[in-house]
Amino acid sequence: MPTDAMPVFDPAKFHSRTMGNPALQVEVLSLFIAEAERLLRQVEAADSIVRGERLRALTALARNVGAARLAQESLLLETHAGVTPDFHALRGALADTCAY
């Protein structure tokens, strides 16, 4: 599936992971955004080996909260870790997820 056809966020998965608790959802989303932004900065600054590790961490983080498009974009970059990366789509996916 093309990443732009992937949903930005899966609210059902997020609701399930947070047991529908609104206070927990706010806390998890706050932590998610801070961690995702930190990982993206590390991905952009890293060499190819470290970049792959940070992309795996970003993929797992995104999957855990239901950020489907971000998970797909980071996985796509991870599978092409040896190629000169273009982070535009990854940045866009993170921005779309945060805006959601």
Side-chain angles (χ1 to χ4, degrees), residues 72-99:
Q72 188 64 29
E73 286 294 346
S74 59
L75 182 62
L76 183 62
L77 275 176
E78 182 187 341
T79 59
H80 297 92
V83 179
T84 303
D86 177 6
F87 300 117
H88 179 73
L90 186 62
R91 279 188 226 109
L94 179 56
D96 290 347
T97 301
C98 292

Side-chain angles (χ1 to χ4, degrees), residues 4-57:
D4 59 347
M6 180 77 69
V8 172
F9 200 79
D10 181 350
K13 184 171 190 171
F14 183 66
H15 187 270
S16 171
R17 296 280 181 158
T18 58
M19 299 165 288
N21 182 323
L24 181 58
Q25 291 172 346
V26 169
E27 185 176 348
V28 167
L29 286 176
S30 295
L31 292 170
F32 164 77
I33 290 169
E35 183 67 4
E37 289 173 343
R38 183 185 71 80
L39 286 169
L40 180 58
R41 285 190 303 274
Q42 291 178 351
V43 163
E44 291 175 328
D47 62 29
S48 62
I49 294 171
V50 174
R51 184 180 309 123
E53 294 170 358
R54 300 293 73 206
L55 284 166
R56 274 189 294 286

